[in-house]
Amino acid sequence: MTNNSDSPRTTVILPAYNAAGFLERAVRSVMAQTDPDFELVIVDDHSTDGTLDLARRLEEEFGNLTVIALPSNAGVSAARNAGLDAARGSWISFIDSDDQYLPAFLETMHAATAPDVDLVVGGRIVVQPDGTEMRNGSRALGEFDGAEACRLAMCDQLTPFPWDKLYRRELFSKVRFAEGAARFEDMAVNVILHSLSRRVRSIDTPVYRYYIMDASLTWGRVPTVADTTVAMNHLNEHLDQRFKEGKYGAAYDCMRSLVILLVAQSAIARGTGSPAAAATVSECRKDLGWRMLYRTLAVHKVIGAGAVLLKLTPSLYAYLYLRHIRAAYGVGKPQTASSEMPAAAPPATPASGSGID
């Protein structure tokens, strides 16, 4: 069943780049929703593998599906923003091209809304490369005012992804995704959106199936701290100053520590012994100042301890991190710790694999 209304309740936005191998699976999971009052907008980011042709065929099949083709490869933020520009729904949700909605995603998320709830966070099922499934989601559950939700998001208690959430559309009139960001555009915009919300509700019901691949945990190249600049500048520009100081200052430093840890983890996962990876890890260690580490420990002992370990004993951090991703997600090969590489116990879930870089 589909909805052809000029004003659907929800607009689902699906950015796609070279996703011909799994796009149809994602689309059909949206079309199978128990709540039919939605439109799906696919934004093709100038794919080269037939993704656009497949999207056009699906557009002919489903009356509530619209395809937007970007004239050049612009990145995931630009693709999501193009979907927001075209959205007609009162609510917004996202899906990555290599994942799936569970059938009751929209029904479950809307059931958690209220007149003053602007953002809903759902649970998810993580599918490992061997097909094993595990259920997880945000650590913080319940209903919070926007300021508290912002603090929780900065402390990694609410997930940083866009695809496990339902947003009131008006939130995006004040901020969009940071175009040109190489990493962390999801985390940055979600922290801002939490701060702008009247109330946020977090539930543990799984609504999304997230597929882990090796590419979900690693990059095609070794990242650098500079890759975070655009997203972090965007966050600093749009996040009210009160969330960076005072009673929120430690949470803000926790987020900064987490971003640095995630960059180091991506470099580590790229391979022990790489000069570029070693350089990135060294840069990350320098950026972890002792005052920031102390404040991080005050609000999140795991992130703080991981950051301290990275700064003091990078080889041990690397060894523990590689063991963790192998055990928890079934990816990565066990490697011997090297004095050239850092080590740490990962504080957060793996980065979202959007398929767009």
Side-chain angles (χ1 to χ4, degrees), residues 179-201:
E179 298 191 16
R183 281 199 93 177
F184 301 115
E185 73 286 339
D186 292 357
M187 179 187 293
V189 80
N190 272 306
V191 167
I192 299 165
L193 291 171
H194 286 310
S195 76
L196 296 174
S197 298
R198 290 171 295 174
R199 299 196 69 78
V200 173
R201 183 168 291 164

Side-chain angles (χ1 to χ4, degrees), residues 84 168-176 193 196 238:
L84 289 168
R168 199 178 293 275
R169 180 180 172 181
E170 285 77 9
L171 290 176
F172 288 101
S173 67
K174 300 176 182 178
V175 65
R176 293 294 180 92
L193 291 171
L196 296 174
H238 291 89

Side-chain angles (χ1 to χ4, degrees), residues 328-347:
Y329 306 113
V331 298
K333 298 178 181 179
Q335 302 187 33
T336 302
S338 162
S339 60
E340 298 181 73
M341 286 303 292

Side-chain angles (χ1 to χ4, degrees), residues 7-36:
S7 55
R9 176 159 67 164
T10 309
T11 295
V12 181
I13 297 172
L14 191 164
Y17 175 70
N18 287 353
F22 30 75
L23 176 65
E24 186 167 357
R25 179 183 69 185
V27 169
R28 294 196 182 280
S29 76
V30 177
M31 293 303 169
Q33 290 298 293
T34 55
D35 174 1

